Structure formats: structure tokens, C-alpha cells
Amino acid sequence: MSKPRSALLRRLGRADRWAFDRVAAARLRGLEYVLPRLSRIADHGVLWFTSAGVMGLTGRPRLRRAALRGSIAVAVASPAVNLIGKHAFRRKRPVVDLVPPIRIRWKLPTSHAFPSGHSASAAAFATGVALEAPRPVAIPVAATAAAVAFSRVYTGAHYPGDVLAGLGIGALAGLGTRMVWPARPPVARVEPAGERARVTEDGRGLVTVANLGAGPGGESGGISLPGRPEATLDLLERELPAAEVVRLGPDADLDKAFGEAAERADALGVIGGDGTVNAAARAALQHGVPLLVVPGGTFDHFARALGVESAAQAIAAYRSGRLGRVDVAYAAPASGAGGDEERPFLNTASFGAYTELVDRRERLERRIGKWPALAVAAVRTLRHSEPVDLYVDGHKYRVWLAFVGNCVFGSRGAAPTWRRRLDDGRLDVRMVVTGRRVPRVRAVAAVLAGHMHVTPGYREWRASGLEVVSADGGLRLARDGEVSSMPAAVRFGKHAGALAVFCPAPRAAG
């Protein structure tokens, strides 16, 4: 080692020990009781995994994603530090003679000091949470992580250099989760409409149709909290007492109900999942009224893209009168003249194995619930489905799985769920094409991991229109999760900015 480098390391070591002596010897009123206990609670990641569990139980999608990303980051950072870093550097623990007696009662670790595993886990969890969670959650988590890192020096367990190294490794682990799971924006961009909606404080003029058979509390047998549609209706009727509410049973004709409601409405509301919102959007387009989306299904992809994750947020969006215009994609017979021939979709349209997956899920969900049914159906479908022969824009393919998105989606799974914009004028086309043999094991793993692009035969592109012709006759098509039969030749297109929707006020960045 060169003399200048050796001298620099000695100076850094002296500065590290000097900083440790000052912090470890300090008496901070109140904190000398709190910090040691906080440090101990963070042992083995207990503090972070408990926090993740609490965030997951809230039921809010952003917090569930934040909890999962933070947990993944901890699962990467902790082994990297404790199994690799500590054995590579083998730095001894600090001398604790200067540590006040109140802290000596806490047993100090006997493993090597550099880097700090507690600090790495703290930074990993805080960084992962910050990528997904709103600021009122991310800031307290970051403050707790900083307190844990500081406590490692204050209790005499680590030199400041150990802590700084751990924080750096943890932050890199948190940021590294974006490589395999891109962080999604909390709200998709929507172009503001040129006008504001006519609204009243008590909801007069709003006609809301509630599909009581949708979502976790409906007939689908889901595993979430029961009675969710009814709880949403109770809040709506309490906050907007003059609004008209139409309750639908599981066998109701959605198109008829929404058409009749839109005829007499100044604004059309919908409570239900993506399939129900699809029917409401069609009626809103036909009658030229704005649409208020109230989440009430199992997935609610469109509501979440708008930034509406609860009935309270939907009510606030209605009262604001703020409208945005979103694109509406459609599938139609290739020889049709438009109009009633067009079948709209706000999220996705899929064909190939995905329609089999939906069919299997619907057969199972009444017995085991929607989410378990989805997992079982996915495995069975991906193992046994066969590709179909299709002509896509005149080119022949054997298509195993195909996805057409309304606007460009950010993730790369079999059924991506988030978008940066809802008004980009494009279709997002993704397909898995095969030869005679389907790469099932690799494809199943890619679908479950959310990385379809590593599957052999994967193709994706953006388009303003698409034509698909089935060589075997009719085409089974799933639009926003609802399966229907189409003629052999189908064209996909878009109506840019066609649908006016109520939007929440823009959120502050960060």
C-alpha cells in the first residue's frame, strides 16, 4: 500500500474514532433510554418487517407496494452485509469504556463491525418505502431509519464509518429493486378538460350505479373485507344525500342500467371493478356525460390510475368539479362501420392464453376466492394452453399470449397494471409468439416474476391501430377482464381524449 494512501486511511480512522468517542459518550436526555431499545427492536429486521406488515394491513395499494419493496430491499441488503461485507473486512467492534452505564446493560454484538447491518437494513427499507409511499408515510419511516443508524453509534456498537457504509449499501439495495420491479408513479397523467363539471355540494344531478356483485364483498367470493360495496354506498349517501343511487344485483344487465342512468344524469357515477367501469364508460360516451369512478372491485386498475383509491377520494374529486380527458381504446369487427360495433376498453384487451386464464378463474373464484383462483388459474393455464394461429397486421404468428394496452404501460409482466399517461394516443402491443413447442417452464417463471420480456418469442411495439385475423375462425377476447367472443377479423383503435372523468387534485411531487 502506498504511503499517501496509508496516511489517508490512518487519518480517516482517527476521525472515525474521534466521532465515535463524542457520540458514544454523549448524554442525550430521554434518548439514552429510547435509542438502545429502538436498536434492539431492529435486531434481525423485526422492526422493518413488522412495519411492512402494518402497512400491508391498511389495504391501500401504494402502502402494500411500499411494504413489499422495502422488505425485498432488506432481504437483499442484510445478507450482503452480514454474510459478505463483515467477513471481507473483519473490522473489530469499538471499545465501549466511554459508553454511559445505562447503555452497557444492552448486550453488544460479537460479530465484525464493518459495515453496519442494522444501518443497511434501515436504509434499504426506508429507500424502498420512499419509492412507493406518499410523503406522510415515507418521512416518518426515514426518520426512524436515521434514528436506528444513529443508535448504533450511540450504544457503542459501531463506528460512524461502519454506519455510513451500511447506509450506502442499504440505499443501493433499495434503489436496485427498480431494476427488477420498476417503481410506478402514484397517478397517471391526465390532460385537463377545457371545462369544469356542473356539481353541487349535496350531489344533485349525480346518478351512481353500484354493482353489488363486484369486488371483494360481492358474489365473487374474494378474501378481502366483506361488505365493501355497501360501506362505500353508505359513505356516498351520507356525503352526497341528493345523489341518486341505483343498486344492481349480480345478474343485472349492466349496459341497460348504465344507459338508463346516463340519460337522466348530469354526471354518471359507477361503483364496481374494471369490468363495471367499462360498461359505465360506454354509456358516458354515448350520452356525453362525465364519469365519476368509485373503486369497488378487486383490482380497480383504472380508478388507481386516476389516483382514486377510496370512496372519500372519489367524493372529493366530484366536489372539485375537476375534469380530465382520457383515451378510450376499442376492438371492433374489421369490416364494421363503427358505432355500436365498437367494444371499448379502458385498460387492456387480451387474447390467447389470457382468455383461458379468465375462464378458469371465474369457475374457481366462487369456491376459493378471487385471488387464490387467479393464482391457480394462472399456473394451470400457462402449463396447458396451446398457441393460436393469427395474422397480425398481415404477418402470420403462432401466438401464445397477447396483450393490447390502452396507452403505454410501464411494467413488463403478462398483464401490466400501471401507466404514466392516460392520454398518449397509443396502443401498447405485447405478444409471446412460438414455434411448435411452447417454452412453458421458462414462460411460467417469467409470468410469475413479471418479466415477460425474457421469454423466447416475446415482442412488443406501440401503434395507433392494429388488425388481428384468426386462422381458425372467431377470436376470444378479454376486455378489462371480461371475456367475449369476436368475429375472426378484429381491428383495434383509439379515440384520443374521448372520455371526461372526474380527477383528484394533483398531488405534490415526492
Side-chain angles (χ1 to χ4, degrees):
M1 182 181 297
S2 65
K3 289 184 178 180
R5 183 178 179 186
S6 179
L8 175 61
L9 290 177
R10 285 196 297 271
R11 285 196 296 271
L12 289 174
R14 286 195 296 269
D16 207 16
R17 286 188 291 273
W18 177 86
F20 170 78
D21 291 342
R22 297 300 182 275
V23 174
R27 290 182 179 272
L28 304 177
R29 189 179 300 274
L31 293 182
E32 61 188 14
Y33 295 93
V34 174
L35 290 177
R37 287 167 173 78
L38 181 64
S39 179
R40 191 163 188 175
I41 292 172
D43 287 349
H44 308 297
V46 171
L47 174 62
W48 311 121
F49 291 123
T50 301
S51 299
V54 172
M55 293 165 66
L57 289 174
T58 64
R60 296 183 60 184
R62 289 186 68 187
L63 295 187
R64 289 201 301 263
R65 293 194 305 270
L68 180 57
R69 187 180 295 277
S71 299
I72 293 172
V74 172
V76 172
S78 183
V81 168
N82 294 306
L83 299 181
I84 300 175
K86 291 182 182 293
H87 292 283
F89 293 97
R90 296 180 176 273
R91 187 183 190 185
K92 293 182 178 179
R93 294 278 174 178
V95 177
V96 297
D97 294 341
L98 295 176
V99 180
I102 188 67
R103 282 171 262 162
I104 291 179
R105 291 205 300 266
W106 297 92
K107 183 179 179 181
L108 293 176
T110 57
S111 61
H112 300 296
F114 185 90
S116 166
H118 282 67
S119 302
S121 295
F125 187 78
T127 303
V129 168
L131 290 173
E132 297 282 2
R135 184 176 295 175
V137 173
I139 290 177
V141 170
T144 303
V148 169
F150 180 76
S151 74
R152 302 306 289 167
V153 182
Y154 186 67
T155 57
H158 285 284
Y159 291 109
D162 306 336
V163 170
L164 291 175
L167 290 174
I169 293 171
L172 287 175
L175 293 172
T177 61
R178 301 182 68 168
M179 298 177 62
V180 295
W181 183 18
R184 58 182 289 178
V187 179
R189 176 183 169 186
V190 178
E191 189 69 26
E195 73 282 357
R196 297 180 69 84
R198 291 191 305 162
V199 298
T200 60
E201 188 66 21
D202 60 2
R204 190 174 306 276
L206 172 66
V207 181
T208 300
V209 179
N211 182 6
L212 300 182
E219 298 296 325
S220 57
I223 61 174
S224 297
L225 293 174
R228 178 179 169 190
E230 287 293 348
T232 299
L233 281 173
D234 290 342
L235 179 62
L236 188 72
E237 292 174 336
R238 190 165 59 248
E239 293 293 324
L240 302 173
E244 179 185 347
V245 176
V246 179
R247 290 172 167 83
L248 299 182
D251 299 323
D253 185 332
L254 291 181
D255 289 330
K256 180 181 178 181
F258 280 110
E260 293 175 349
E263 286 181 352
R264 61 181 183 274
D266 294 328
L268 178 64
V270 52
I271 301 175
D274 288 315
T276 306
V277 173
N278 182 298
R282 183 169 183 173
L285 283 170
Q286 290 175 342
H287 294 86
V289 295
L291 182 66
L292 175 66
V293 180
V294 184
T298 301
F299 299 108
D300 298 319
H301 292 316
F302 186 71
R304 292 175 188 171
L306 289 173
V308 179
E309 297 187 359
S310 67
Q313 290 178 338
I315 292 169
Y318 168 78
R319 284 180 171 156
S320 74
R322 184 176 182 270
L323 294 178
R325 289 205 163 269
V326 301
D327 293 353
V328 177
Y330 65 84
S335 58
D340 292 338
E341 295 289 339
E342 294 180 357
R343 302 187 185 184
F345 58 94
L346 300 176
N347 300 309
T348 64
S350 302
F351 46 93
Y354 188 78
T355 56
E356 297 180 33
L357 186 153
V358 174
D359 287 339
R360 284 192 168 101
R361 186 206 72 201
E362 290 179 344
R363 288 197 296 268
L364 292 169
E365 65 185 19
R366 291 181 183 271
R367 287 181 289 158
I368 64 176
K370 201 161 197 171
W371 285 104
L374 179 62
V376 173
V379 172
R380 290 182 180 176
T381 300
L382 296 173
R383 287 181 58 193
H384 302 296
S385 64
E386 295 296 331
V388 294
D389 293 323
L390 300 174
Y391 291 90
V392 180
D393 284 341
H395 301 281
K396 186 175 182 179
Y397 299 106
R398 283 178 59 81
V399 177
W400 185 55
L401 189 73
F403 162 98
V404 181
N406 177 30
C407 300
V408 177
F409 280 72
S411 54
R412 308 183 81 171
T417 57
W418 62 268
R419 290 158 280 187
R420 296 193 182 277
R421 297 180 58 178
L422 295 176
D423 57 0
D424 63 12
R426 294 187 288 175
L427 297 173
D428 187 346
V429 185
R430 308 181 186 196
M431 294 193 312
V432 176
V433 300
T434 72
R436 292 190 174 184
R437 190 174 181 183
V438 178
R440 296 187 186 277
V441 175
R442 185 172 173 182
V444 169
V447 168
L448 295 179
H451 284 272
M452 284 299 296
H453 61 287
V454 302
T455 306
Y458 176 82
R459 304 186 181 198
E460 66 174 76
W461 68 94
R462 316 291 182 251
S464 58
L466 184 74
E467 183 166 303
V468 176
V469 179
S470 171
D472 300 323
L475 185 70
R476 293 270 290 165
L477 186 69
R479 295 175 299 111
D480 294 337
E482 303 295 328
V483 179
S484 60
S485 296
M486 297 287 290
V490 177
R491 58 182 171 87
F492 295 88
K494 294 199 69 171
H495 297 300
L499 179 64
V501 293
F502 286 91
C503 299
R507 296 178 181 173

